[in-house]
Every structure is written in C-alpha cells, then in structure tokens.
Amino acid sequence: MRRLLYVTVFFAGLTTLALEMSASRLLGNYFGTSNLVWASIIGLILIYLTAGYFLGGVWADRSPKFITFYQILIWSALAIAVIPMIARPVLRLAADAFDALQLGVLFGSFAGVMVLFSIPITLLGTASPFAIRLALHDSRQAGSISGRIYAISTLGSFLGTFLPPLWWIPTLGTYRTFLVCSVILLVTGLVGLGISSGWRRVLAYAWTPIVPLLVFLLGLQGSDKATRGLIYETESAYNYIQVLQEGEYRLLRLNEGQGIHSVYHPTQRFFGGPWEQVLVAPFFNPPPVTTDVVTRIAIVGLAAGTTALQAAEVYPNAQIDGFEIDPRIVEVARQYFGMNEPNLSVIVQDGRWGLATSPHRYQIISLDAYRPPYIPWHMTTVEFFQIVYDHLTPDGVAVVNVGRGPQDRRLLERLSSTLHRVFPSVHVVDLPGTFNSLLYASRQPTNAANLRVNYDLLRQNPQTPPLLLRTMEIALANLQPTPPDGPFFTDDLAPVEQITNTMVLDYLLFNPGGQ
C-alpha cells in the first residue's frame, strides 16, 4: 500500500505543477506573461496549496482511510476538467475588456479565473499530508516516510513542469491540456480506490469519466477569442497566435493581443508602423550613403517578417538573418504572410543567444522582440548592447523599438542611456500616432543632420525606392532631442517590467480614454 501511495503522490505532484504551468498559459493568452501575471499565479497557487496542506493534515487525522484519500483526488480531477469550459466565456469577456481597456471587467475576469483554481489546487494540496498519515504506522519512521513522499511528489512536479509547455500545449492546446491533467488524476484516483478499497467502490464513480469526455466533445468548440476577422489561431510552446484579416491586410497578434506584431498586404509595403523605420538606420552615417552598401541585416524578433519583406525591397542585395524564438510563428508567417524571400535566412533561436553566436557582422541590426508592452529585459542591458556593437560593421547602426507613455518617456530615456554606454551616438524618432519610439545607435560617431543630407541626395536619384523616401520623411519630421545620460540597465539590474508596469498603470488611471 505504501508503493500505491508513492505512485499516487507522484501523479498528484505532476498534476499540480502541470496545472500551474497551464494556468500561466491560459491567462497569458488574455493578460500577457509579465512578471506581474506570473507572480499572481504563483502566489495564489501557493496560498491554495497552503490551505490544502493544512486541510489535508486535519482531514487525514479525522478520517485516515484510503477511500477518503482517493475520493478527494477524484473530485479534484473533476474540478480540473470543468476549468476550461467555465474559463472560456469569462476570458472572452476579459479579451473584449482588454481591447476596450475596461479595468473592472478585466481584473474581475482575472480574479474569477484564478478562483476556479482554488478548489482543485487546494484538494491536491491535501495529497502529501494525507499520504504521510496513511503510510505512517511507526512514529520512528516519520522522518524517512515523509521525506520519501515529499521527494517522490517533487519528482512528479519536476515532470509536470516540462510536459505542458514542451509537449501538451503545443500539440493539444491549452484547454485540452487541462483535460489531460484531469484524466491523469482521475485514473490515479479510480485505480487507487479500486486497489485500496475494492473495485465495487469504483462503481459509484463510474460516471466520472463522462465529465472530461463531455467537456472534450462539447465544451471546447469554437475559437479561444471572438476576434473580428479571425482566420486562424493556434498555440505554440511560447505564444497564443492569431491571424486576422482586415480587407486585404493580414495582421499577426500574439497572446493578449495588445499589439500588432506583423502586417502583410499582397501589393503594399508601407504600413505606417515601426517595421519600415528600420530601413532608415544607415542614413544617419555621413553622406553619401546609398542602398547598395547594405549587404547584411539582422532582425531580432522576426515575427511574421514584415521588416524582412520591406528590407528585401529597399536593399535587394542584402542577406537578411531573422532571429525568431517561436518555430510555430515561422510556420504561420510562411503560410499567411508571404515570408518566403530568397535572401531571408530564418534562425529559430533566442535573439540574444542567436546574435551572440552569429559569425556575421551587419550594417543594420533591428531589435524588436516585443511582447507588448514589454521588452525582454535581457535585451535591454549594457552587456547585450555590447554584443550588438560587436556584431555591427564599422558603419553599422542598431535600431531599438521602444514603448512610451503620452507623457512618460522613462523607459526610452533609460534605454538611450544604456545604449550610450556602448555606442558613441544615439538618435531618437517618435513614431506619430503611436506610443512607439525608435532609438538609432551608430557604431561610429554620427549626426542627425546626416539624415537630411542623405535624404536630399536619395531624392535626386530616380532609382531610390519610394518606400525608403516616405519612411525617411516620417523620421525627419519626428526627430527628437537625444535624452541626457542617466541611469542605465545591466544584466544585474534591469527593472524594465517595473518601469513598464507603472507606465501602463499611469496611462490607464490618468488617461481620459482609459476606463
């Protein structure tokens, strides 16, 4: 019977961590994956487990029976099964509220979904103390038995940490991953009940497999979000991915959908966004600069390849290396966004590591690995920008897409200071009609006035692509003074999310349009 208990706590531990990982993905699709969301998930689940440990100890002392133990697990499995069915309408409401910035509905939805986890996680928390009570017949073995049970449970948790993000979610989707967790725990509970208390006891729960089956057949139909123009959605190990159709335009949205990551049109190349502003980078160098001098470009944060498509038109002689961490996004880009340029090499790799190990030097390095409104902190530091500097040619320029508030430029200023620790010159362009700014950092000393001179020279050349001229006109009209140097980011201290969180909160609370 001890061996049965060991097997049981292994699968209980696996299910507990699998639920936590799946919860982060379930909520990440609607609320993002910032440290704030992760902290909320981990913190509340720890509270639920604490309640479960306490409840399990008391319950086990009052009813130290195997039948009670396995009944708890069976009911926990059923509670897990209904989470996706109940969560979907609530989270669709959250998605609509996010688009409209209705904070009450948004936070209410988040809280409501987290409450759904309280019952199954609390019941799972009873497993280890209950198992210890059932396994303990000699107080002299209390330490070894409890240590063994917690060790086996933790091994199950270790496996539960990796299975959902690496296998179940990319293969089955988030909602069916919850059903997998439910079925694993349900089978564990039913088999344990049959072995420990007799198979006739199991007959009373013969109906329970119907619950996950009904949820599988009836509860998961339709798309995750009721987004207008949705033509495709999928999940990967990293993202919830949407493709939207608006007229002849296709848009790529990820996770909570607070940003357009890529745009595609079969005939147009200008989209009025940050993508084409990358094309301006070389022209901060002393004139004359022509398009044929650019022979290699790196795009960190390739997404569905909007910048690559534009760069291929303006710099036809350039080889483009696109770093994208999510292989599923690459598949979507090839299918829906025409990302099949012969001069584009797609490198499925984390941007920092991929750039650090690249054998090439580039005239342009674009850094746009956003998960709106957050920039990955490890791509904001002095150490990272030194890697960027080392992979630029002597006339190379790095471009960083940065978010800002209507009156809050702290993140931009910090990044400018950080870049200035490595690069001799930094220039700022605000993208009109957005909360985006572009930082241009040149490897050699440059002057913003060079951009005007190069533009005038290019305008005189009839071979200059109109896309480049139009983009340079926007950059020239929106040049901003370079902020003075101040605090900067390092690998040791880079409070990017803290700054971004306060920017977003200030905007939502004090902007008249933020409800």
Side-chain angles (χ1 to χ4, degrees):
M1 299 307 291
R2 278 186 184 172
R3 291 178 180 176
L4 176 63
L5 289 172
Y6 295 154
V7 172
T8 301
V9 296
F10 176 85
F11 284 109
L14 185 155
T15 305
T16 301
L17 259 292
L19 273 181
E20 183 170 344
M21 300 303 294
S22 301
S24 71
R25 188 46 171 279
L26 180 71
L27 294 170
N29 293 350
Y30 299 86
F31 300 97
T33 54
S34 68
N35 286 348
L36 189 61
V37 173
W38 265 107
S40 300
I41 293 170
I42 294 172
L44 286 173
I45 285 180
L46 287 174
I47 291 296
Y48 301 152
L49 286 174
T50 300
Y53 297 149
F54 179 81
L55 179 63
V58 174
W59 205 339
D61 285 340
R62 292 186 178 181
S63 181
K65 303 174 183 177
F66 281 89
I67 185 173
T68 305
F69 177 51
Y70 285 108
Q71 283 174 336
I72 292 172
L73 296 184
I74 290 169
W75 284 106
S76 177
L78 296 178
I80 294 169
V82 300
I83 285 176
M85 186 172 63
I86 298 175
R88 172 169 269 176
V90 175
L91 288 173
R92 279 183 174 173
L93 190 65
D96 294 339
F98 215 146
D99 286 339
L101 293 177
Q102 297 172 340
L103 294 185
V105 177
L106 188 66
F107 293 137
S109 301
F110 182 89
V113 171
M114 286 307 302
V115 168
L116 287 176
F117 289 90
S118 62
I119 294 175
I121 295 294
T122 300
L123 292 178
L124 278 168
T126 67
S128 291
F130 218 115
I132 291 171
R133 178 65 178 84
L134 293 175
L136 187 62
H137 301 293
D138 185 346
S139 61
R140 291 173 297 180
Q141 296 180 315
S144 61
I145 290 175
S146 60
R148 192 174 298 122
I149 284 176
Y150 276 111
I152 292 171
S153 174
T154 302
L155 282 176
S157 299
F158 172 81
L159 189 61
T161 303
F162 290 96
L163 284 174
L166 298 183
W167 183 17
W168 294 344
I169 291 175
T171 306
L172 305 172
T174 302
Y175 293 99
R176 289 181 176 85
T177 295
F178 280 97
L179 296 184
V180 170
C181 294
S182 172
V183 170
I184 288 174
L185 191 61
L186 184 59
V187 170
T188 302
L190 292 174
V191 172
L193 182 62
I195 293 174
S196 65
S197 305
W199 292 101
R200 294 184 62 183
R201 296 277 192 182
V202 178
L203 293 177
Y205 294 94
W207 57 273
T208 54
I210 298 174
V211 175
L213 179 63
L214 287 176
V215 174
F216 177 79
L217 295 175
L218 304 176
L220 301 180
Q221 297 177 357
S223 60
D224 288 347
K225 296 184 182 181
T227 306
R228 187 178 66 179
L230 180 68
I231 61 172
Y232 180 77
E233 68 172 351
T234 189
E235 291 185 273
S236 71
Y238 299 94
N239 296 289
Y240 165 70
I241 302 167
Q242 288 182 301
V243 180
L244 311 180
Q245 186 81 37
E246 293 186 1
E248 294 189 76
Y249 291 89
R250 282 186 179 167
L251 313 177
L252 177 70
R253 295 210 316 180
L254 304 178
N255 303 315
E256 68 272 37
Q258 288 302 297
I260 302 300
H261 292 256
S262 291
V263 182
Y264 175 75
H265 189 281
T267 59
Q268 294 187 27
R269 293 294 178 265
F270 179 82
F271 304 115
W275 307 283
E276 53 263 32
Q277 291 299 324
V278 173
L279 309 175
V280 174
F283 302 99
F284 283 95
N285 285 304
V289 178
T290 57
T291 57
D292 58 358
V293 302
V294 177
T295 59
R296 199 158 202 115
I297 300 171
I299 301 173
V300 179
L302 179 64
T306 303
T307 297
L309 198 63
Q310 294 166 327
E313 179 169 315
V314 173
Y315 303 111
N317 299 324
Q319 177 63 40
I320 304 170
D321 292 343
F323 297 91
E324 173 54 55
I325 196 172
D326 193 337
R328 188 66 62 85
I329 289 180
V330 175
E331 295 173 11
V332 170
R334 297 199 189 283
Q335 183 175 357
Y336 291 96
F337 291 83
M339 196 180 76
N340 298 295
E341 298 82 18
N343 60 337
L344 172 63
S345 298
V346 178
I347 301 162
V348 179
Q349 185 70 268
D350 173 80
R352 177 164 174 168
W353 175 253
L355 189 62
T357 56
S358 171
H360 304 295
R361 290 177 177 264
Y362 306 91
Q363 277 89 19
I364 304 173
I365 296 180
S366 169
L367 306 172
D368 194 8
Y370 255 108
R371 302 189 73 163
Y374 299 97
I375 303 176
W377 72 268
H378 67 296
M379 295 186 188
T380 66
T381 67
V382 169
E383 291 83 353
F384 171 66
F385 290 135
Q386 185 63 55
I387 294 171
V388 174
Y389 181 92
D390 293 340
H391 283 80
L392 286 169
T393 58
D395 60 345
V397 180
V399 189
V400 186
N401 183 19
V402 187
R404 53 181 166 78
Q407 308 296 329
D408 192 337
R409 303 175 71 87
R410 284 177 297 158
L411 183 58
L412 184 151
E413 291 166 355
R414 285 280 189 100
L415 277 171
S416 175
S417 295
T418 307
L419 284 163
H420 221 175
R421 301 280 298 186
V422 179
F423 292 87
S425 300
V426 178
H427 311 288
V428 181
V429 171
D430 285 353
L431 190 63
T434 74
F435 293 140
N436 292 78
S437 293
L438 285 304
L439 291 172
Y440 299 87
S442 58
R443 202 177 193 274
Q444 63 178 333
T446 57
N447 192 305
N450 294 339
L451 184 62
R452 167 61 67 180
V453 178
N454 280 311
Y455 168 74
D456 290 336
L457 293 173
L458 288 169
R459 192 172 55 173
Q460 296 170 19
N461 183 352
Q463 301 301 317
T464 301
L467 173 60
L468 177 59
L469 292 175
R470 187 174 180 185
T471 303
M472 292 180 72
E473 289 166 2
I474 293 174
L476 285 165
N478 294 278
L479 275 168
Q480 305 295 319
T482 302
D485 286 347
F488 54 92
F489 297 134
T490 67
D491 281 357
D492 180 60
L493 181 60
V496 177
E497 283 203 343
Q498 184 182 51
I499 295 173
T500 307
N501 286 337
T502 57
M503 284 169 51
V504 172
L505 187 61
D506 288 346
Y507 173 74
L508 294 176
L509 293 178
F510 302 110
N511 180 63
Q515 299 295 321

